[in-house]
């Protein structure tokens, strides 16, 4: 399977920002495949399109790419609680149908980042856990890594709408879960986050916001923005017209975006089934097996979050 050619504007961005050179692409992919074939503990995808997402996410540093791939798959053995639901389980499909994570189909310019809208208040925290929701988000992200060049090359911008979110949503996130989720997205996944925007923040959100910032690297801390009820400040970063109809834009209705998610998961069902077989067998890792403590630190070392 060859790598899909990039549109001109994204190809230029990949060259300028990610050190991508067409002449070296094949050589880099071949090097990764040879390395993967020699890792007895690692069961990983070797499709060109999948591997190039990791190369781009690591700006074509082969060593960083290897580390990220290894960590990405080792989390399945060391933090299985982050992915409790399979893509075809009833609970997974229920959350998918609620539209907690929506991919906005439009961009203002051909080389703009992909915007993802997260609606925390769309799920009932009595019925679903934050890791149930994360299982769904991870699947959508996998699909984007395979087929969305804007997401892979230009990066992602997230909008977290906290309307209808309650303390019951926030108290699901223990310090250790927050640490694990941060490692999964910041260290293990080849996603270039270009900004995270929080809308309709309820009272008390500042506590969780400051707590969350502790886990982020300096670069990502600078990309967090909180917007008040008046979301005009958001439009400086995300053009209003690409938002869903319900948010005053013309980027499709929420229901249409939910249907896109459902269609994609169905389309990728065989691929996702294969993906369930991948991961690491730590007993076969050369040297010392990786443990949860190695990656995340010791459970007791995290201070419990206190809400006023």
């Amino acid at each position: 399977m060859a790598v899909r050619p990039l549109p001109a504007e994204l190809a230029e961005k990949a060259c300028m920002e990610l050190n991508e050179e067409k002449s070296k692409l094949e050589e880099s992919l071949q090097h990764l495949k040879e390395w993967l074939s020699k890792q007895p503990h690692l069961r990983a995808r070797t499709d060109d399109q999948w591997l190039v997402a990791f190369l781009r996410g690591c700006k074509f540093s082969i060593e960083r790419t290897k580390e990220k791939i290894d960590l990405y798959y080792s989390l399945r053995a060391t933090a299985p609680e982050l992915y409790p639901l399979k893509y075809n389980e009833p609970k997974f499909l229920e959350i998918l149908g609620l539209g907690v994570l929506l991919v906005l189909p439009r961009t203002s310019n051909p080389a703009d980042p992909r915007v993802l809208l997260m609606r925390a208040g769309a799920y009932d925290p009595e019925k679903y856990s934050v890791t149930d929701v994360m299982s769904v988000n991870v699947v959508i992200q996998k699909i984007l890594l395979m087929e969305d060049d804007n997401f892979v090359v230009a990066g992602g911008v997230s909008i977290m709408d906290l309307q209808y979110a309650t303390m019951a949503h926030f108290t699901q996130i223990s310090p250790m879960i927050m640490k694990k989720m941060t490692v999964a997205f910041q260290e293990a996944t080849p996603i270039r986050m270009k900004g995270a925007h929080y809308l309709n923040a309820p009272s008390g959100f500042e506590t969780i916001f400051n707590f969350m910032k502790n886990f982020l690297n300096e670069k990502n801390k600078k990309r967090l923005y909180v917007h008040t009820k008046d979301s005009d400040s958001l439009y400086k970063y995300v053009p209003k017209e690409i938002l869903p109809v319900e948010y005053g834009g013309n980027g499709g209705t929420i229901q249409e975006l939910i249907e896109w998610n459902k269609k994609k998961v169905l389309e990728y069902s065989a691929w996702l089934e294969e993906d369930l077989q991948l991961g690491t067998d730590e007993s076969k890792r050369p040297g010392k097996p990786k443990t949860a403590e190695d990656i995340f630190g010791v459970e007791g070392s995290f201070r419990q979050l206190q809400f006023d």
Side-chain angles (χ1 to χ4, degrees), residues 198-201 226-235 240:
Y198 295 85
L199 279 184
N200 300 313
V226 179
H227 303 274
T228 56
K229 295 280 182 194
D230 171 13
S231 53
D232 284 359
S233 57
L234 172 69
Y235 307 143
K240 186 176 181 180

Side-chain angles (χ1 to χ4, degrees), residues 272-284:
L272 292 166
E273 189 62 35
E274 275 177 25
D275 196 67
L276 292 174
Q277 312 310 314
L278 307 177
T280 60
D281 180 342
E282 291 301 325
S283 69
K284 293 180 179 174

Side-chain angles (χ1 to χ4, degrees), residues 153-170:
V153 173
V157 170
S158 69
I159 301 170
M160 174 69 83
D161 185 357
L162 296 166
Q163 190 170 26
Y164 309 122
T166 64
M167 271 305 152
H169 287 90
F170 297 134

Side-chain angles (χ1 to χ4, degrees), residues 9-152:
E9 293 89 346
L10 283 174
E12 185 180 351
K13 190 179 273 277
C15 174
M16 300 296 289
E17 295 181 16
L18 308 182
N19 309 315
E20 184 162 336
E21 294 177 45
K22 208 171 180 182
S23 59
K24 290 188 179 169
L25 184 58
E26 190 56 48
E27 185 187 322
S28 300
L29 287 169
Q30 196 51 46
H31 183 101
L32 279 183
K33 288 178 190 176
E34 284 174 16
W35 171 76
L36 282 166
S37 72
K38 293 171 184 164
Q39 305 309 306
H41 66 291
L42 191 52
R43 300 183 307 280
R45 298 203 75 88
T46 55
D47 335 26
D48 291 355
Q49 197 68 51
W50 179 252
L51 293 179
V52 85
F54 278 84
L55 283 165
R56 287 169 175 160
C58 297
K59 298 189 176 180
F60 278 80
S61 159
I62 292 285
E63 289 314 305
R64 275 179 57 210
T65 304
K66 289 175 184 176
E67 285 168 16
K68 198 170 278 270
I69 289 172
D70 190 277
L71 182 57
Y72 180 86
Y73 286 106
S74 66
L75 289 189
R76 300 187 185 188
T78 55
E81 65 278 16
L82 288 183
Y83 321 103
L85 301 181
K86 293 180 181 151
Y87 73 95
N88 53 3
E89 285 183 45
K91 211 173 184 184
F92 180 102
L93 298 170
E94 285 168 24
I95 297 169
L96 195 66
L98 294 172
V100 180
L101 173 69
L102 301 171
V103 180
L104 305 194
R106 298 185 58 198
T107 59
S108 280
N109 298 296
D112 277 358
R114 177 65 58 210
V115 179
L116 309 177
L117 172 62
M118 301 178 198
R119 301 158 64 235
Y123 77 93
D124 178 353
E126 301 296 320
K127 196 172 177 187
Y128 308 107
S129 71
V130 69
T131 51
D132 290 340
V133 172
M134 184 169 164
S135 296
V136 177
N137 291 0
V138 165
V139 165
I140 299 297
Q141 283 171 357
K142 283 176 189 169
I143 292 169
L144 293 177
L145 289 173
M146 279 299 285
E147 67 169 50
D148 189 338
D149 295 323
N150 284 74
F151 184 64
V152 173

Side-chain angles (χ1 to χ4, degrees), residues 156-194:
V157 170
S158 69
I159 301 170
M160 174 69 83
D161 185 357
L162 296 166
Q163 190 170 26
Y164 309 122
T166 64
M167 271 305 152
H169 287 90
F170 297 134
T171 51
Q172 287 187 343
I173 308 171
S174 69
M176 187 47 104
I177 285 290
M178 176 63 82
K179 170 71 172 171
K180 289 179 178 180
M181 285 166 62
T182 307
V183 169
F185 289 119
Q186 185 174 264
E187 315 296 339
T189 312
I191 297 173
R192 306 181 69 219
M193 282 314 295
K194 308 306 281 185

